[in-house]
Amino acid sequence: MQSYKHLILGGGMVAGYAVQRFLQDGVGGHDIGILSADSAPPYERPPLSKGFLLGKEEESSVYINQPESYAENGVGLHLSTEVASVDLEARTVSTTSGDFAFENLLIATGSAVRKLDVPGADLAGVLYLRSLADSKRLKEAIASAGSVVVVGSGFIGMEVASSAAQQDTKVTMVYPEDRLWQRFLSPELSDYFARYYQERGVELVPNDSVVEIIGDGSAGGVRTESGRRIKADAVVAGIGVTPVTGYLDGSGLRIDNGVRVNEFLETGTPGVWAAGDIAHYRDVIFNKDRRVEHWDNAVEQGKHVAASMQGRREPFVHVPYYFSDIFDLSYEFWGDTEEADEVIHRADWEANSVNAMWFKGNRLVAALLMNRPDEERDEVQEWIREGTDLSGRKKDFP
């Protein structure tokens, strides 16, 4: 049985950045092990729906650390290794490649895509985007497809639709809500992005759902709840993800929309942490429990837990953040819109310059910025982090 002082379950971004931190801190590589179900070393996920999918970035550029660096530093990188169970009392992990022992454990197995549950969902040409392998399949499909249906209008749906449309592919987005990414975007932002997509040839089909994938052996289109039939050479579903926790059944850990951890990202078992998509943690800025599925969260939590596993116990204090690139637009977002009761827009829509600010009372709780001055980027982050009372400033925001 192989044994590691610091064992990481999952070979995603948390693992890649945790290893970076360990090695920077002088931790011996032989003390670090990674158990990954993926066949590739840890890689960045944002390019999978952006630069790599567009063909602007090579595969070699998406790796967090050079693939050969793990062996060179003595890090035990076990690929194509799926975790079957965890015994916290014995401090062992059972996998498809054998058993492993650990002193400290970081649980970071991330999320899996939700699959379409409709007739024809198992046809070839029905695609999802989560892994590097998924992005490669999708890239090949878009290159040969004359038309694509994207199911869902959230983060992944919008990015995939943008990438496909930029490759001269006819794109149709089908989603059940009234407007684009209704759960997150303000009505003004939804309308703005809808116009932007439509001007670039993307057909939007709101208030409708895919009820069947049509095809003989491979996808040839979809049938919607309204009875509409839309031809397509590929169907891409971006309908969310769920944390991968099945292997933790019976482990004694608290599973509730992920692995429940405190503000230190600690589970209830000493020497066991969780980070990334799977961590349902206590956010001390917003004083609430949350689980975040974005790049920046995985990066920062991976580095944070690597420090914690070396004995530096500090709470994870971080404003949730993500960014997106769609067509020729780039925007950034900080915070949490869930409890907001007001949205104020400082925008020149024609110039694609936007600062959308979500408030709860007089406190800024979230902001989306695009083509705005750097001082605004700095301001909104500080205001959210510090919980600044902006009652004297809100009147200045048109």
Side-chain angles (χ1 to χ4, degrees), residues 179-214:
R179 51 186 177 83
L180 278 178
W181 205 356
Q182 182 170 312
R183 183 178 62 85
F184 167 67
L185 295 176
S186 67
E188 291 87 347
L189 285 167
S190 288
D191 291 344
Y192 165 77
F193 284 119
R195 290 192 301 272
Y196 207 86
Y197 274 65
Q198 289 168 326
E199 288 169 358
R200 284 149 186 81
V202 177
E203 182 180 1
L204 304 181
V205 183
N207 298 303
D208 211 349
S209 300
V210 170
V211 296
E212 181 183 5
I213 310 298
I214 302 168

PDB file of all heavy atoms in Angstrom, residues 179-214:
ATOM      1  N   ARG A 179     -35.632  34.623 -20.096  1.00  0.00           N
ATOM      2  CA  ARG A 179     -34.529  35.414 -20.641  1.00  0.00           C
ATOM      3  C   ARG A 179     -33.201  34.716 -20.351  1.00  0.00           C
ATOM      4  O   ARG A 179     -33.136  33.773 -19.550  1.00  0.00           O
ATOM      5  CB  ARG A 179     -34.536  36.827 -20.046  1.00  0.00           C
ATOM      6  CG  ARG A 179     -34.599  36.880 -18.525  1.00  0.00           C
ATOM      7  CD  ARG A 179     -34.747  38.311 -18.018  1.00  0.00           C
ATOM      8  NE  ARG A 179     -34.887  38.390 -16.580  1.00  0.00           N
ATOM      9  CZ  ARG A 179     -33.873  38.369 -15.717  1.00  0.00           C
ATOM     10  NH1 ARG A 179     -32.629  38.282 -16.168  1.00  0.00           N
ATOM     11  NH2 ARG A 179     -34.082  38.456 -14.418  1.00  0.00           N
ATOM     12  N   LEU A 180     -32.146  35.204 -20.987  1.00  0.00           N
ATOM     13  CA  LEU A 180     -30.825  34.609 -20.833  1.00  0.00           C
ATOM     14  C   LEU A 180     -30.371  34.610 -19.377  1.00  0.00           C
ATOM     15  O   LEU A 180     -30.454  35.635 -18.692  1.00  0.00           O
ATOM     16  CB  LEU A 180     -29.799  35.381 -21.670  1.00  0.00           C
ATOM     17  CG  LEU A 180     -29.687  35.073 -23.160  1.00  0.00           C
ATOM     18  CD1 LEU A 180     -28.641  35.989 -23.796  1.00  0.00           C
ATOM     19  CD2 LEU A 180     -29.320  33.618 -23.404  1.00  0.00           C
ATOM     20  N   TRP A 181     -29.899  33.475 -18.938  1.00  0.00           N
ATOM     21  CA  TRP A 181     -29.320  33.287 -17.606  1.00  0.00           C
ATOM     22  C   TRP A 181     -30.134  34.041 -16.543  1.00  0.00           C
ATOM     23  O   TRP A 181     -29.615  34.812 -15.757  1.00  0.00           O
ATOM     24  CB  TRP A 181     -27.874  33.748 -17.594  1.00  0.00           C
ATOM     25  CG  TRP A 181     -27.036  33.093 -16.550  1.00  0.00           C
ATOM     26  CD1 TRP A 181     -27.431  32.213 -15.579  1.00  0.00           C
ATOM     27  CD2 TRP A 181     -25.626  33.278 -16.370  1.00  0.00           C
ATOM     28  NE1 TRP A 181     -26.368  31.832 -14.817  1.00  0.00           N
ATOM     29  CE2 TRP A 181     -25.244  32.465 -15.272  1.00  0.00           C
ATOM     30  CE3 TRP A 181     -24.660  34.034 -17.022  1.00  0.00           C
ATOM     31  CZ2 TRP A 181     -23.943  32.416 -14.816  1.00  0.00           C
ATOM     32  CZ3 TRP A 181     -23.368  33.977 -16.562  1.00  0.00           C
ATOM     33  CH2 TRP A 181     -23.008  33.185 -15.482  1.00  0.00           C
ATOM     34  N   GLN A 182     -31.398  33.743 -16.536  1.00  0.00           N
ATOM     35  CA  GLN A 182     -32.337  34.492 -15.693  1.00  0.00           C
ATOM     36  C   GLN A 182     -32.004  34.401 -14.212  1.00  0.00           C
ATOM     37  O   GLN A 182     -32.226  35.347 -13.453  1.00  0.00           O
ATOM     38  CB  GLN A 182     -33.753  33.977 -15.947  1.00  0.00           C
ATOM     39  CG  GLN A 182     -34.831  34.700 -15.166  1.00  0.00           C
ATOM     40  CD  GLN A 182     -36.216  34.297 -15.642  1.00  0.00           C
ATOM     41  OE1 GLN A 182     -36.490  34.278 -16.834  1.00  0.00           O
ATOM     42  NE2 GLN A 182     -37.090  33.937 -14.705  1.00  0.00           N
ATOM     43  N   ARG A 183     -31.437  33.271 -13.792  1.00  0.00           N
ATOM     44  CA  ARG A 183     -31.136  33.073 -12.372  1.00  0.00           C
ATOM     45  C   ARG A 183     -30.083  34.050 -11.873  1.00  0.00           C
ATOM     46  O   ARG A 183     -30.036  34.364 -10.681  1.00  0.00           O
ATOM     47  CB  ARG A 183     -30.658  31.630 -12.148  1.00  0.00           C
ATOM     48  CG  ARG A 183     -30.370  31.267 -10.699  1.00  0.00           C
ATOM     49  CD  ARG A 183     -29.955  29.820 -10.576  1.00  0.00           C
ATOM     50  NE  ARG A 183     -28.727  29.537 -11.299  1.00  0.00           N
ATOM     51  CZ  ARG A 183     -27.511  29.738 -10.791  1.00  0.00           C
ATOM     52  NH1 ARG A 183     -27.379  30.253  -9.572  1.00  0.00           N
ATOM     53  NH2 ARG A 183     -26.439  29.439 -11.484  1.00  0.00           N
ATOM     54  N   PHE A 184     -29.262  34.548 -12.799  1.00  0.00           N
ATOM     55  CA  PHE A 184     -28.140  35.379 -12.397  1.00  0.00           C
ATOM     56  C   PHE A 184     -28.194  36.806 -12.939  1.00  0.00           C
ATOM     57  O   PHE A 184     -28.036  37.781 -12.197  1.00  0.00           O
ATOM     58  CB  PHE A 184     -26.831  34.709 -12.833  1.00  0.00           C
ATOM     59  CG  PHE A 184     -25.637  35.598 -12.752  1.00  0.00           C
ATOM     60  CD1 PHE A 184     -25.165  36.026 -11.522  1.00  0.00           C
ATOM     61  CD2 PHE A 184     -24.997  36.035 -13.895  1.00  0.00           C
ATOM     62  CE1 PHE A 184     -24.059  36.868 -11.441  1.00  0.00           C
ATOM     63  CE2 PHE A 184     -23.900  36.863 -13.825  1.00  0.00           C
ATOM     64  CZ  PHE A 184     -23.436  37.284 -12.593  1.00  0.00           C
ATOM     65  N   LEU A 185     -28.402  36.976 -14.228  1.00  0.00           N
ATOM     66  CA  LEU A 185     -28.328  38.298 -14.838  1.00  0.00           C
ATOM     67  C   LEU A 185     -29.550  39.151 -14.501  1.00  0.00           C
ATOM     68  O   LEU A 185     -30.657  38.642 -14.349  1.00  0.00           O
ATOM     69  CB  LEU A 185     -28.222  38.168 -16.362  1.00  0.00           C
ATOM     70  CG  LEU A 185     -26.974  37.501 -16.925  1.00  0.00           C
ATOM     71  CD1 LEU A 185     -27.095  37.367 -18.449  1.00  0.00           C
ATOM     72  CD2 LEU A 185     -25.714  38.275 -16.557  1.00  0.00           C
ATOM     73  N   SER A 186     -29.350  40.464 -14.403  1.00  0.00           N
ATOM     74  CA  SER A 186     -30.473  41.388 -14.278  1.00  0.00           C
ATOM     75  C   SER A 186     -31.218  41.417 -15.612  1.00  0.00           C
ATOM     76  O   SER A 186     -30.662  41.053 -16.657  1.00  0.00           O
ATOM     77  CB  SER A 186     -29.972  42.790 -13.950  1.00  0.00           C
ATOM     78  OG  SER A 186     -29.250  43.333 -15.053  1.00  0.00           O
ATOM     79  N   PRO A 187     -32.477  41.858 -15.624  1.00  0.00           N
ATOM     80  CA  PRO A 187     -33.199  41.950 -16.904  1.00  0.00           C
ATOM     81  C   PRO A 187     -32.463  42.803 -17.934  1.00  0.00           C
ATOM     82  O   PRO A 187     -32.431  42.471 -19.126  1.00  0.00           O
ATOM     83  CB  PRO A 187     -34.541  42.582 -16.497  1.00  0.00           C
ATOM     84  CG  PRO A 187     -34.735  42.149 -15.076  1.00  0.00           C
ATOM     85  CD  PRO A 187     -33.366  42.167 -14.477  1.00  0.00           C
ATOM     86  N   GLU A 188     -31.849  43.882 -17.478  1.00  0.00           N
ATOM     87  CA  GLU A 188     -31.120  44.756 -18.401  1.00  0.00           C
ATOM     88  C   GLU A 188     -29.930  44.029 -19.029  1.00  0.00           C
ATOM     89  O   GLU A 188     -29.664  44.154 -20.227  1.00  0.00           O
ATOM     90  CB  GLU A 188     -30.642  46.008 -17.674  1.00  0.00           C
ATOM     91  CG  GLU A 188     -31.745  46.953 -17.248  1.00  0.00           C
ATOM     92  CD  GLU A 188     -32.341  46.612 -15.879  1.00  0.00           C
ATOM     93  OE1 GLU A 188     -32.074  45.486 -15.365  1.00  0.00           O
ATOM     94  OE2 GLU A 188     -33.059  47.454 -15.321  1.00  0.00           O
ATOM     95  N   LEU A 189     -29.198  43.259 -18.222  1.00  0.00           N
ATOM     96  CA  LEU A 189     -28.059  42.517 -18.739  1.00  0.00           C
ATOM     97  C   LEU A 189     -28.507  41.388 -19.669  1.00  0.00           C
ATOM     98  O   LEU A 189     -27.891  41.147 -20.707  1.00  0.00           O
ATOM     99  CB  LEU A 189     -27.231  41.946 -17.586  1.00  0.00           C
ATOM    100  CG  LEU A 189     -26.367  42.953 -16.832  1.00  0.00           C
ATOM    101  CD1 LEU A 189     -25.854  42.347 -15.529  1.00  0.00           C
ATOM    102  CD2 LEU A 189     -25.183  43.410 -17.700  1.00  0.00           C
ATOM    103  N   SER A 190     -29.591  40.702 -19.301  1.00  0.00           N
ATOM    104  CA  SER A 190     -30.123  39.646 -20.171  1.00  0.00           C
ATOM    105  C   SER A 190     -30.494  40.221 -21.534  1.00  0.00           C
ATOM    106  O   SER A 190     -30.174  39.639 -22.580  1.00  0.00           O
ATOM    107  CB  SER A 190     -31.352  38.994 -19.543  1.00  0.00           C
ATOM    108  OG  SER A 190     -31.019  38.176 -18.451  1.00  0.00           O
ATOM    109  N   ASP A 191     -31.175  41.355 -21.540  1.00  0.00           N
ATOM    110  CA  ASP A 191     -31.579  41.980 -22.805  1.00  0.00           C
ATOM    111  C   ASP A 191     -30.356  42.399 -23.611  1.00  0.00           C
ATOM    112  O   ASP A 191     -30.324  42.230 -24.840  1.00  0.00           O
ATOM    113  CB  ASP A 191     -32.470  43.192 -22.532  1.00  0.00           C
ATOM    114  CG  ASP A 191     -33.837  42.812 -21.983  1.00  0.00           C
ATOM    115  OD1 ASP A 191     -34.204  41.626 -22.091  1.00  0.00           O
ATOM    116  OD2 ASP A 191     -34.525  43.705 -21.457  1.00  0.00           O
ATOM    117  N   TYR A 192     -29.367  42.960 -22.939  1.00  0.00           N
ATOM    118  CA  TYR A 192     -28.150  43.397 -23.612  1.00  0.00           C
ATOM    119  C   TYR A 192     -27.441  42.216 -24.285  1.00  0.00           C
ATOM    120  O   TYR A 192     -27.099  42.273 -25.474  1.00  0.00           O
ATOM    121  CB  TYR A 192     -27.216  44.075 -22.616  1.00  0.00           C
ATOM    122  CG  TYR A 192     -25.807  44.253 -23.116  1.00  0.00           C
ATOM    123  CD1 TYR A 192     -25.497  45.258 -24.018  1.00  0.00           C
ATOM    124  CD2 TYR A 192     -24.791  43.387 -22.703  1.00  0.00           C
ATOM    125  CE1 TYR A 192     -24.190  45.408 -24.499  1.00  0.00           C
ATOM    126  CE2 TYR A 192     -23.499  43.530 -23.173  1.00  0.00           C
ATOM    127  CZ  TYR A 192     -23.203  44.541 -24.071  1.00  0.00           C
ATOM    128  OH  TYR A 192     -21.928  44.677 -24.551  1.00  0.00           O
ATOM    129  N   PHE A 193     -27.222  41.143 -23.523  1.00  0.00           N
ATOM    130  CA  PHE A 193     -26.533  39.988 -24.095  1.00  0.00           C
ATOM    131  C   PHE A 193     -27.375  39.310 -25.168  1.00  0.00           C
ATOM    132  O   PHE A 193     -26.843  38.800 -26.165  1.00  0.00           O
ATOM    133  CB  PHE A 193     -26.157  38.996 -23.007  1.00  0.00           C
ATOM    134  CG  PHE A 193     -24.970  39.410 -22.187  1.00  0.00           C
ATOM    135  CD1 PHE A 193     -25.082  39.608 -20.813  1.00  0.00           C
ATOM    136  CD2 PHE A 193     -23.737  39.613 -22.783  1.00  0.00           C
ATOM    137  CE1 PHE A 193     -23.988  40.003 -20.054  1.00  0.00           C
ATOM    138  CE2 PHE A 193     -22.632  40.004 -22.043  1.00  0.00           C
ATOM    139  CZ  PHE A 193     -22.758  40.204 -20.675  1.00  0.00           C
ATOM    140  N   ALA A 194     -28.708  39.292 -25.013  1.00  0.00           N
ATOM    141  CA  ALA A 194     -29.570  38.696 -26.037  1.00  0.00           C
ATOM    142  C   ALA A 194     -29.397  39.432 -27.364  1.00  0.00           C
ATOM    143  O   ALA A 194     -29.262  38.799 -28.424  1.00  0.00           O
ATOM    144  CB  ALA A 194     -31.023  38.739 -25.588  1.00  0.00           C
ATOM    145  N   ARG A 195     -29.400  40.737 -27.331  1.00  0.00           N
ATOM    146  CA  ARG A 195     -29.200  41.512 -28.562  1.00  0.00           C
ATOM    147  C   ARG A 195     -27.830  41.214 -29.165  1.00  0.00           C
ATOM    148  O   ARG A 195     -27.688  41.056 -30.386  1.00  0.00           O
ATOM    149  CB  ARG A 195     -29.331  43.012 -28.281  1.00  0.00           C
ATOM    150  CG  ARG A 195     -30.740  43.477 -27.956  1.00  0.00           C
ATOM    151  CD  ARG A 195     -30.826  44.998 -27.995  1.00  0.00           C
ATOM    152  NE  ARG A 195     -29.918  45.638 -27.057  1.00  0.00           N
ATOM    153  CZ  ARG A 195     -30.209  45.911 -25.798  1.00  0.00           C
ATOM    154  NH1 ARG A 195     -31.405  45.580 -25.309  1.00  0.00           N
ATOM    155  NH2 ARG A 195     -29.332  46.508 -25.010  1.00  0.00           N
ATOM    156  N   TYR A 196     -26.824  41.134 -28.298  1.00  0.00           N
ATOM    157  CA  TYR A 196     -25.458  40.893 -28.761  1.00  0.00           C
ATOM    158  C   TYR A 196     -25.356  39.549 -29.479  1.00  0.00           C
ATOM    159  O   TYR A 196     -24.726  39.439 -30.537  1.00  0.00           O
ATOM    160  CB  TYR A 196     -24.501  40.951 -27.577  1.00  0.00           C
ATOM    161  CG  TYR A 196     -23.102  41.350 -27.943  1.00  0.00           C
ATOM    162  CD1 TYR A 196     -22.735  42.692 -28.020  1.00  0.00           C
ATOM    163  CD2 TYR A 196     -22.131  40.384 -28.226  1.00  0.00           C
ATOM    164  CE1 TYR A 196     -21.446  43.064 -28.368  1.00  0.00           C
ATOM    165  CE2 TYR A 196     -20.842  40.750 -28.574  1.00  0.00           C
ATOM    166  CZ  TYR A 196     -20.500  42.087 -28.650  1.00  0.00           C
ATOM    167  OH  TYR A 196     -19.225  42.453 -29.006  1.00  0.00           O
ATOM    168  N   TYR A 197     -25.962  38.520 -28.902  1.00  0.00           N
ATOM    169  CA  TYR A 197     -25.925  37.187 -29.505  1.00  0.00           C
ATOM    170  C   TYR A 197     -26.724  37.159 -30.814  1.00  0.00           C
ATOM    171  O   TYR A 197     -26.272  36.584 -31.815  1.00  0.00           O
ATOM    172  CB  TYR A 197     -26.481  36.151 -28.531  1.00  0.00           C
ATOM    173  CG  TYR A 197     -25.438  35.614 -27.569  1.00  0.00           C
ATOM    174  CD1 TYR A 197     -24.835  36.441 -26.632  1.00  0.00           C
ATOM    175  CD2 TYR A 197     -25.043  34.285 -27.596  1.00  0.00           C
ATOM    176  CE1 TYR A 197     -23.882  35.963 -25.752  1.00  0.00           C
ATOM    177  CE2 TYR A 197     -24.089  33.783 -26.736  1.00  0.00           C
ATOM    178  CZ  TYR A 197     -23.506  34.633 -25.807  1.00  0.00           C
ATOM    179  OH  TYR A 197     -22.538  34.158 -24.955  1.00  0.00           O
ATOM    180  N   GLN A 198     -27.892  37.764 -30.790  1.00  0.00           N
ATOM    181  CA  GLN A 198     -28.721  37.740 -31.996  1.00  0.00           C
ATOM    182  C   GLN A 198     -28.058  38.493 -33.151  1.00  0.00           C
ATOM    183  O   GLN A 198     -28.146  38.064 -34.308  1.00  0.00           O
ATOM    184  CB  GLN A 198     -30.095  38.340 -31.681  1.00  0.00           C
ATOM    185  CG  GLN A 198     -30.943  37.433 -30.796  1.00  0.00           C
ATOM    186  CD  GLN A 198     -32.175  38.127 -30.249  1.00  0.00           C
ATOM    187  OE1 GLN A 198     -32.155  39.322 -29.959  1.00  0.00           O
ATOM    188  NE2 GLN A 198     -33.264  37.378 -30.116  1.00  0.00           N
ATOM    189  N   GLU A 199     -27.381  39.580 -32.843  1.00  0.00           N
ATOM    190  CA  GLU A 199     -26.669  40.334 -33.881  1.00  0.00           C
ATOM    191  C   GLU A 199     -25.549  39.523 -34.500  1.00  0.00           C
ATOM    192  O   GLU A 199     -25.100  39.826 -35.612  1.00  0.00           O
ATOM    193  CB  GLU A 199     -26.109  41.627 -33.281  1.00  0.00           C
ATOM    194  CG  GLU A 199     -27.170  42.674 -32.963  1.00  0.00           C
ATOM    195  CD  GLU A 199     -26.610  43.817 -32.136  1.00  0.00           C
ATOM    196  OE1 GLU A 199     -25.407  43.784 -31.780  1.00  0.00           O
ATOM    197  OE2 GLU A 199     -27.382  44.750 -31.825  1.00  0.00           O
ATOM    198  N   ARG A 200     -25.095  38.491 -33.811  1.00  0.00           N
ATOM    199  CA  ARG A 200     -24.017  37.634 -34.300  1.00  0.00           C
ATOM    200  C   ARG A 200     -24.523  36.280 -34.769  1.00  0.00           C
ATOM    201  O   ARG A 200     -23.762  35.312 -34.867  1.00  0.00           O
ATOM    202  CB  ARG A 200     -22.940  37.507 -33.207  1.00  0.00           C
ATOM    203  CG  ARG A 200     -22.101  38.768 -33.131  1.00  0.00           C
ATOM    204  CD  ARG A 200     -21.577  39.080 -31.765  1.00  0.00           C
ATOM    205  NE  ARG A 200     -20.917  40.395 -31.801  1.00  0.00           N
ATOM    206  CZ  ARG A 200     -21.591  41.562 -31.735  1.00  0.00           C
ATOM    207  NH1 ARG A 200     -22.910  41.567 -31.619  1.00  0.00           N
ATOM    208  NH2 ARG A 200     -20.938  42.710 -31.802  1.00  0.00           N
ATOM    209  N   GLY A 201     -25.820  36.231 -35.040  1.00  0.00           N
ATOM    210  CA  GLY A 201     -26.390  35.073 -35.707  1.00  0.00           C
ATOM    211  C   GLY A 201     -26.915  33.969 -34.829  1.00  0.00           C
ATOM    212  O   GLY A 201     -27.375  32.939 -35.340  1.00  0.00           O
ATOM    213  N   VAL A 202     -26.870  34.138 -33.518  1.00  0.00           N
ATOM    214  CA  VAL A 202     -27.361  33.093 -32.617  1.00  0.00           C
ATOM    215  C   VAL A 202     -28.876  33.239 -32.458  1.00  0.00           C
ATOM    216  O   VAL A 202     -29.377  34.326 -32.121  1.00  0.00           O
ATOM    217  CB  VAL A 202     -26.686  33.176 -31.239  1.00  0.00           C
ATOM    218  CG1 VAL A 202     -27.259  32.120 -30.292  1.00  0.00           C
ATOM    219  CG2 VAL A 202     -25.176  33.015 -31.379  1.00  0.00           C
ATOM    220  N   GLU A 203     -29.593  32.165 -32.692  1.00  0.00           N
ATOM    221  CA  GLU A 203     -31.046  32.177 -32.513  1.00  0.00           C
ATOM    222  C   GLU A 203     -31.365  31.789 -31.065  1.00  0.00           C
ATOM    223  O   GLU A 203     -30.883  30.779 -30.568  1.00  0.00           O
ATOM    224  CB  GLU A 203     -31.734  31.208 -33.471  1.00  0.00           C
ATOM    225  CG  GLU A 203     -33.242  31.222 -33.338  1.00  0.00           C
ATOM    226  CD  GLU A 203     -33.946  30.269 -34.291  1.00  0.00           C
ATOM    227  OE1 GLU A 203     -33.246  29.562 -35.063  1.00  0.00           O
ATOM    228  OE2 GLU A 203     -35.190  30.215 -34.256  1.00  0.00           O
ATOM    229  N   LEU A 204     -32.187  32.577 -30.422  1.00  0.00           N
ATOM    230  CA  LEU A 204     -32.573  32.329 -29.035  1.00  0.00           C
ATOM    231  C   LEU A 204     -34.000  31.793 -28.984  1.00  0.00           C
ATOM    232  O   LEU A 204     -34.910  32.362 -29.593  1.00  0.00           O
ATOM    233  CB  LEU A 204     -32.471  33.616 -28.213  1.00  0.00           C
ATOM    234  CG  LEU A 204     -31.110  34.315 -28.220  1.00  0.00           C
ATOM    235  CD1 LEU A 204     -31.154  35.565 -27.344  1.00  0.00           C
ATOM    236  CD2 LEU A 204     -30.004  33.375 -27.757  1.00  0.00           C
ATOM    237  N   VAL A 205     -34.189  30.712 -28.247  1.00  0.00           N
ATOM    238  CA  VAL A 205     -35.513  30.093 -28.087  1.00  0.00           C
ATOM    239  C   VAL A 205     -35.807  30.010 -26.592  1.00  0.00           C
ATOM    240  O   VAL A 205     -35.554  28.996 -25.937  1.00  0.00           O
ATOM    241  CB  VAL A 205     -35.563  28.696 -28.730  1.00  0.00           C
ATOM    242  CG1 VAL A 205     -36.974  28.110 -28.614  1.00  0.00           C
ATOM    243  CG2 VAL A 205     -35.124  28.746 -30.192  1.00  0.00           C
ATOM    244  N   PRO A 206     -36.337  31.098 -25.995  1.00  0.00           N
ATOM    245  CA  PRO A 206     -36.675  31.073 -24.572  1.00  0.00           C
ATOM    246  C   PRO A 206     -38.018  30.389 -24.339  1.00  0.00           C
ATOM    247  O   PRO A 206     -38.748  30.072 -25.294  1.00  0.00           O
ATOM    248  CB  PRO A 206     -36.749  32.563 -24.217  1.00  0.00           C
ATOM    249  CG  PRO A 206     -37.195  33.219 -25.487  1.00  0.00           C
ATOM    250  CD  PRO A 206     -36.572  32.419 -26.606  1.00  0.00           C
ATOM    251  N   ASN A 207     -38.336  30.150 -23.066  1.00  0.00           N
ATOM    252  CA  ASN A 207     -39.631  29.571 -22.681  1.00  0.00           C
ATOM    253  C   ASN A 207     -39.913  28.251 -23.391  1.00  0.00           C
ATOM    254  O   ASN A 207     -41.052  27.953 -23.763  1.00  0.00           O
ATOM    255  CB  ASN A 207     -40.772  30.564 -22.973  1.00  0.00           C
ATOM    256  CG  ASN A 207     -40.629  31.840 -22.190  1.00  0.00           C
ATOM    257  OD1 ASN A 207     -40.553  31.825 -20.967  1.00  0.00           O
ATOM    258  ND2 ASN A 207     -40.575  32.973 -22.903  1.00  0.00           N
ATOM    259  N   ASP A 208     -38.886  27.463 -23.597  1.00  0.00           N
ATOM    260  CA  ASP A 208     -39.063  26.181 -24.261  1.00  0.00           C
ATOM    261  C   ASP A 208     -38.012  25.205 -23.737  1.00  0.00           C
ATOM    262  O   ASP A 208     -36.958  25.616 -23.249  1.00  0.00           O
ATOM    263  CB  ASP A 208     -38.942  26.335 -25.777  1.00  0.00           C
ATOM    264  CG  ASP A 208     -39.812  25.340 -26.540  1.00  0.00           C
ATOM    265  OD1 ASP A 208     -40.340  24.391 -25.905  1.00  0.00           O
ATOM    266  OD2 ASP A 208     -39.960  25.507 -27.767  1.00  0.00           O
ATOM    267  N   SER A 209     -38.293  23.918 -23.844  1.00  0.00           N
ATOM    268  CA  SER A 209     -37.385  22.894 -23.337  1.00  0.00           C
ATOM    269  C   SER A 209     -37.250  21.769 -24.358  1.00  0.00           C
ATOM    270  O   SER A 209     -38.197  21.464 -25.082  1.00  0.00           O
ATOM    271  CB  SER A 209     -37.903  22.309 -22.017  1.00  0.00           C
ATOM    272  OG  SER A 209     -38.014  23.307 -21.035  1.00  0.00           O
ATOM    273  N   VAL A 210     -36.079  21.156 -24.400  1.00  0.00           N
ATOM    274  CA  VAL A 210     -35.860  20.001 -25.266  1.00  0.00           C
ATOM    275  C   VAL A 210     -36.482  18.772 -24.617  1.00  0.00           C
ATOM    276  O   VAL A 210     -36.179  18.454 -23.462  1.00  0.00           O
ATOM    277  CB  VAL A 210     -34.356  19.785 -25.510  1.00  0.00           C
ATOM    278  CG1 VAL A 210     -34.105  18.453 -26.209  1.00  0.00           C
ATOM    279  CG2 VAL A 210     -33.782  20.932 -26.329  1.00  0.00           C
ATOM    280  N   VAL A 211     -37.349  18.096 -25.340  1.00  0.00           N
ATOM    281  CA  VAL A 211     -38.000  16.898 -24.808  1.00  0.00           C
ATOM    282  C   VAL A 211     -37.570  15.636 -25.548  1.00  0.00           C
ATOM    283  O   VAL A 211     -37.888  14.524 -25.114  1.00  0.00           O
ATOM    284  CB  VAL A 211     -39.545  17.029 -24.860  1.00  0.00           C
ATOM    285  CG1 VAL A 211     -40.002  18.154 -23.950  1.00  0.00           C
ATOM    286  CG2 VAL A 211     -40.035  17.246 -26.291  1.00  0.00           C
ATOM    287  N   GLU A 212     -36.834  15.803 -26.643  1.00  0.00           N
ATOM    288  CA  GLU A 212     -36.354  14.627 -27.382  1.00  0.00           C
ATOM    289  C   GLU A 212     -35.176  15.033 -28.269  1.00  0.00           C
ATOM    290  O   GLU A 212     -35.177  16.120 -28.858  1.00  0.00           O
ATOM    291  CB  GLU A 212     -37.465  14.051 -28.257  1.00  0.00           C
ATOM    292  CG  GLU A 212     -37.048  12.811 -29.038  1.00  0.00           C
ATOM    293  CD  GLU A 212     -38.139  12.297 -29.966  1.00  0.00           C
ATOM    294  OE1 GLU A 212     -39.196  12.956 -30.075  1.00  0.00           O
ATOM    295  OE2 GLU A 212     -37.911  11.241 -30.599  1.00  0.00           O
ATOM    296  N   ILE A 213     -34.173  14.139 -28.337  1.00  0.00           N
ATOM    297  CA  ILE A 213     -33.109  14.285 -29.308  1.00  0.00           C
ATOM    298  C   ILE A 213     -33.484  13.432 -30.513  1.00  0.00           C
ATOM    299  O   ILE A 213     -33.722  12.229 -30.375  1.00  0.00           O
ATOM    300  CB  ILE A 213     -31.747  13.834 -28.758  1.00  0.00           C
ATOM    301  CG1 ILE A 213     -31.457  14.485 -27.395  1.00  0.00           C
ATOM    302  CG2 ILE A 213     -30.644  14.164 -29.759  1.00  0.00           C
ATOM    303  CD1 ILE A 213     -31.365  15.983 -27.409  1.00  0.00           C
ATOM    304  N   ILE A 214     -33.549  14.049 -31.669  1.00  0.00           N
ATOM    305  CA  ILE A 214     -33.964  13.359 -32.882  1.00  0.00           C
ATOM    306  C   ILE A 214     -32.738  12.839 -33.609  1.00  0.00           C
ATOM    307  O   ILE A 214     -31.728  13.544 -33.725  1.00  0.00           O
ATOM    308  CB  ILE A 214     -34.743  14.316 -33.813  1.00  0.00           C
ATOM    309  CG1 ILE A 214     -35.967  14.896 -33.081  1.00  0.00           C
ATOM    310  CG2 ILE A 214     -35.175  13.608 -35.080  1.00  0.00           C
ATOM    311  CD1 ILE A 214     -36.601  16.057 -33.815  1.00  0.00           C
TER     312      ILE A 214
END
